[in-house]
Amino acid sequence: VRLVESGGDSVQAGGSLRLSCAASGFPSDDYAIAWFRQGPGTEREALSVLVTDDGDTVTSDSMKGRFTISGDIAQNTVYLQMNNLRTEDTEVYYCAGSDEPLMSFKEYEYRYWGQGTRVTVDS
């Protein structure tokens, strides 16, 4: 399984970005993709999850209203739309994959990880 993130960039506070996670190699069409982020010296934080079997999503309470996960399952790509970005959103964003279509924010549930894409939000 391979996960490749893209879309990270430098933006001004209040701006928007859309991150992409291109997935390949999953053994079935039913799997889960989650977005996490991590800043220097901090623990990885779960943001949002999408499961491909029914397209269900869940977003952490702290991100609701600003971050939205979506997917183009036919293209095996999952997106994270981030609006009204704040300086504290400056982190490296990772997508993670599980062979099981589970809705989990637990890092250990995800076997596959991308290399990360950096988001910088300037004041």
Side-chain angles (χ1 to χ4, degrees), residues 50-93:
L50 180 146
V51 293
T52 61
D53 55 350
D54 56 9
D56 270 356
T57 65
V58 62
T59 298
S60 70
D61 288 342
S62 60
M63 299 302 158
K64 283 180 182 175
R66 295 197 304 126
F67 290 9
T68 304
I69 192 170
S70 64
D72 182 343
I73 305 308
Q75 297 295 322
N76 292 319
T77 301
V78 175
Y79 305 99
L80 185 69
Q81 177 68 40
M82 306 187 297
N83 298 326
N84 191 22
L85 284 162
R86 305 166 181 166
T87 55
E88 55 264 39
D89 294 320
T90 295
E91 303 206 18
V92 179
Y93 287 70

Side-chain angles (χ1 to χ4, degrees), residues 1-9 19-24 34-38 44 91-97 111-119:
V1 173
R2 186 168 184 239
L3 301 174
V4 180
E5 304 98 333
S6 61
D9 205 344
L19 306 183
S20 299
C21 174
S24 60
W35 283 99
F36 289 78
R37 69 182 186 182
Q38 186 172 26
R44 204 166 284 183
E91 303 206 18
V92 179
Y93 287 70
Y94 299 89
C95 67
R111 180 178 179 184
Y112 312 108
W113 291 81
Q115 81 287 350
T117 187
R118 183 173 299 277
V119 172

Side-chain angles (χ1 to χ4, degrees), residues 95-106:
C95 67
S98 168
D99 293 315
E100 298 296 325
L102 47 80
M103 303 280 271
S104 173
F105 284 160
K106 296 181 174 63

